[in-house]
Amino acid sequence: MADNTHSPARRWLDAETHHHWLTREGLRLLEFHRQARLPSGGFAPLDGDGRIPEGAGADTMITGRMAHSYGLAAMQGVPGAASLAEHAIRALSGLLRDEKDGGWLAGDPAMTADRTKQCYLHHFVALGAATARQAGIPGSAALLDEVVEVIETRFWSEDEQAFVERYAQGWRELADYRGGNSNMHGVELCLALADVRDEPHWLDRALAIVERLIHRHAAPRDHRILEHFHGDWAEWPDYNVEQPHHDFYPYGATPGHGFEWSRLMLHLEAALEARGRDAPTWLFADAAALFEASLRDGWAPDGAPGLVYTVDWQGQPSSRRRRHWTHAEALAAASAFLQRTGEAHYERWYCHLWDFIDTTFIDRQRGGWQQELDHRLAIDPEQGDVKPDLYHAYQATLLPRLPLAPALAVAVERL
């Protein structure tokens, strides 16, 4: 394929039919994941057929993501979406809160023994509340105020200019660990709060996190992102060395996060410029290098199609799983770079990733997307036939149609 910049008429991002396809696929995903609603409150993970497994209870991360996703859908005029977002907000405001110690638990307290307080989870409570507030969902403004106060007093470290990871039950002990994943979603939240609450200081926090995690630590490692650190931010490259498949704390570098970080960095650049501020030149340079490094390490390094989940520090595959979210984030990043640069390289990858998702992950027989596949593109036997996540796939149908700034919820409201 020639390496010439596509004319606007040839770009998928400018094609009415492509926008129609994205809308249709987003609506299909929203319809499938309605089935995750629990009458008792909140949302639970779904199996491959779109059923709630017997004994499953409300999951706080999923419920926060549902508040976000259905809040976005409500602003677009999807009937029933506002009531689903409100259902999520009610659970986050009641069932899933820690009434004794404050903050949020990982799930329905009657069904989970986990009493730790996790930064990652609080970020999704806040993201769901922020989007729901933008959508005018009852109860969301009060919830947002409450969770932001917890995040600012418990998880944001002014001294470190980053988010800390987790506390033991009752906020008694802060873990001697700092995490890249929670800070990445912290950047996502900072972008949302800056626009939804019109508080630009959140952009300064986002920039400080990116400077630390990407400019200082990933760039010297050939833009392989180090996810794990000790409590003093000393690098911890062998963390979970025996667990390259771990869902949230895997060993090694995660190409999917490289794509996700690179996109968030473009949103941050655009957000700074929208407020009349100059973005540092390294921000785009590092973002572009992250995208290329993630392609280099992630795409078919084992000879099979698709993006691997993790690689070691030499770029060799550690986990050969093909997970739906890594591909959703890769195409969302490609669309962001295409908007930012107009370069054909990103157009080709954007089209190629959608083609791969269409033939590999989209489940037209049962609904939703296949989410956990092995390197043979079969259902991963260790993960099972599951479809718990709407958030990544649904955002992939929205982001290509929106500007890089303002933040997603505000941009959707202005559609």
Side-chain angles (χ1 to χ4, degrees):
M1 192 180 299
D3 191 22
N4 297 317
T5 301
H6 288 199
S7 67
R10 296 175 60 197
R11 293 190 346 183
W12 278 20
L13 293 190
D14 301 320
E16 182 178 351
T17 298
H18 183 60
H19 283 228
H20 174 73
W21 188 93
L22 292 171
T23 300
R24 185 184 64 181
E25 183 59 23
L27 291 172
R28 202 181 67 86
L29 286 163
L30 290 166
E31 187 65 26
F32 178 84
H33 283 275
R34 286 172 180 259
Q35 301 167 105
R37 180 187 183 276
L38 286 164
S40 58
F43 292 80
L46 295 174
D47 69 15
D49 292 315
R51 297 179 301 226
I52 297 174
E54 185 177 352
D59 181 287
T60 304
M61 183 192 74
I62 290 173
T63 301
R65 288 180 172 185
M66 291 300 197
H68 171 65
S69 297
Y70 285 106
L72 294 172
M75 288 187 282
Q76 296 172 80
V78 177
S83 65
L84 289 166
E86 186 175 357
H87 182 77
I89 293 299
R90 283 198 299 269
L92 295 170
S93 302
L95 173 67
L96 300 169
R97 287 176 69 252
D98 185 341
E99 297 289 349
K100 178 184 176 185
D101 297 315
W104 279 261
L105 302 168
D108 183 340
M111 303 181 72
T112 178
D114 185 358
R115 294 293 186 269
T116 61
K117 297 292 166 44
Q118 304 166 30
C119 181
Y120 180 95
L121 184 144
H122 282 72
H123 283 163
F124 279 106
V125 175
L127 183 67
T131 301
R133 193 190 101 162
Q134 194 69 25
I137 303 301
S140 57
L143 175 63
L144 182 60
D145 288 344
E146 182 181 1
V147 67
V148 168
E149 182 179 6
V150 173
I151 287 170
E152 291 210 281
T153 57
R154 298 290 190 177
F155 291 108
W156 175 253
S157 170
E158 195 66 25
D159 291 340
E160 299 173 30
Q161 287 292 290
F163 292 103
V164 301
E165 188 70 13
R166 61 182 177 269
Y167 290 85
Q169 182 176 357
W171 306 101
R172 288 194 303 270
E173 183 181 359
L174 176 62
D176 183 28
Y177 173 90
R178 300 292 182 266
N181 194 7
S182 59
N183 273 279
M184 180 185 72
H185 285 290
V187 170
E188 176 186 33
L189 177 62
C190 287
L191 291 166
L193 294 178
D195 285 337
V196 170
R197 291 166 63 102
D198 192 22
E199 295 176 349
H201 71 273
W202 290 100
L203 298 181
D204 296 313
R205 293 176 175 182
L207 186 60
I209 293 167
V210 171
E211 194 276 336
R212 177 190 288 278
L213 270 295
I214 305 303
H215 195 54
R216 274 195 260 165
H217 288 284
R221 288 178 169 270
D222 291 331
H223 287 90
R224 295 186 181 106
I225 296 172
L226 187 69
E227 302 268 359
H228 311 297
F229 299 83
H230 295 277
D232 60 359
W233 286 100
E235 294 186 350
W236 202 345
D238 60 349
Y239 185 89
N240 267 357
V241 67
E242 302 301 327
Q243 297 192 65
H245 305 295
H246 196 287
D247 287 341
F248 294 102
Y249 300 100
Y251 162 73
T254 308
H257 284 164
F259 291 118
E260 199 166 356
W261 274 104
S262 71
R263 174 178 63 81
L264 291 169
M265 290 163 72
L266 295 190
H267 291 307
L268 177 57
E269 179 190 52
L272 290 168
E273 292 174 350
R275 291 182 179 269
R277 297 177 54 182
D278 292 330
T281 56
W282 59 260
L283 189 59
F284 175 76
D286 279 353
L290 273 182
F291 185 91
E292 296 307 317
S294 300
L295 280 179
R296 175 198 68 207
D297 289 345
W299 185 264
D302 55 357
L307 293 161
V308 298
Y309 177 41
T310 61
V311 298
D312 65 20
W313 298 116
Q314 289 71 50
Q316 297 303 306
S318 296
S319 174
R320 299 170 65 194
R321 288 177 177 169
R322 268 59 174 177
R323 313 189 81 165
H324 86 289
W325 71 262
T326 64
H327 298 79
E329 287 299 335
L331 76 87
S335 75
F337 278 96
L338 181 56
Q339 287 189 54
R340 171 67 167 75
T341 69
E343 293 178 9
H345 170 64
Y346 301 113
E347 166 80 359
R348 286 197 301 274
W349 274 104
Y350 178 75
C351 297
H352 183 52
L353 285 158
W354 263 130
D355 283 341
F356 185 74
I357 287 170
D358 181 79
T359 58
T360 305
F361 291 104
I362 294 177
D363 187 344
R364 291 188 172 84
Q365 291 185 324
R366 299 184 298 165
W369 289 16
Q370 304 284 9
Q371 296 195 359
E372 302 290 348
L373 304 180
D374 63 18
H375 66 282
R376 297 163 298 187
L377 306 183
I379 291 172
D380 190 319
E382 293 186 25
Q383 294 285 319
D385 186 13
V386 295
K387 293 174 183 170
D389 181 34
L390 168 63
Y391 156 83
H392 284 287
Y394 181 53
Q395 285 197 158
T397 70
L398 286 177
L399 289 165
R401 294 179 278 157
L402 298 170
L404 297 175
L408 182 56
V410 177
V412 165
E413 186 189 37
R414 294 177 183 176
L415 274 177

